């Protein structure tokens, strides 16, 4: 996905974030890196990975319950 300066300016306006003209190019590069990272993550095959509702096994207790 190729972003333009206009995309950055529009997103900033919609988010009500003031961005100076000098900052637009920097934000554009940062957003392109973020979207590139997202594309890398989407390319990973996770079809064999079971979905999780929590990052840690909820059934495993970390300590004894004292109550």
């Amino acid at each position: 996905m190729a972003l333009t300066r206009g995309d950055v300016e529009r997103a900033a306006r919609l988010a009500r974030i003031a961005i100076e003209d000098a900052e637009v190019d920097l934000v554009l590069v940062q957003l392109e890196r973020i979207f590139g990272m997202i594309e890398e993550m989407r390319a990973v095959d996770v079809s064999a990975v079971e979905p999780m509702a929590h990052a840690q096994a909820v059934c495993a207790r970390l300590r004894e319950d004292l109550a």
Side-chain angles (χ1 to χ4, degrees):
M1 174 179 190
L3 294 175
T4 65
R5 286 180 55 92
D7 294 330
V8 173
E9 291 166 346
R10 182 168 187 265
R13 187 172 55 256
L14 290 171
R16 300 181 192 270
I17 298 171
I19 295 182
E20 301 292 328
D21 285 341
E23 295 175 302
V24 172
D25 290 325
L26 175 62
V27 172
L28 178 62
V29 169
Q30 291 172 339
L31 285 174
E32 286 177 338
R33 286 181 184 160
I34 291 168
F35 287 132
M37 191 181 319
I38 292 170
E39 287 300 317
E40 285 181 37
M41 289 189 292
R42 290 183 63 150
V44 176
D45 179 20
V46 294
S47 60
V49 178
E50 186 175 336
M52 298 174 60
H54 195 275
Q56 194 172 32
V58 177
C59 61
R61 295 211 177 254
L62 298 178
R63 61 176 174 78
E64 287 292 322
D65 190 4
L66 301 177

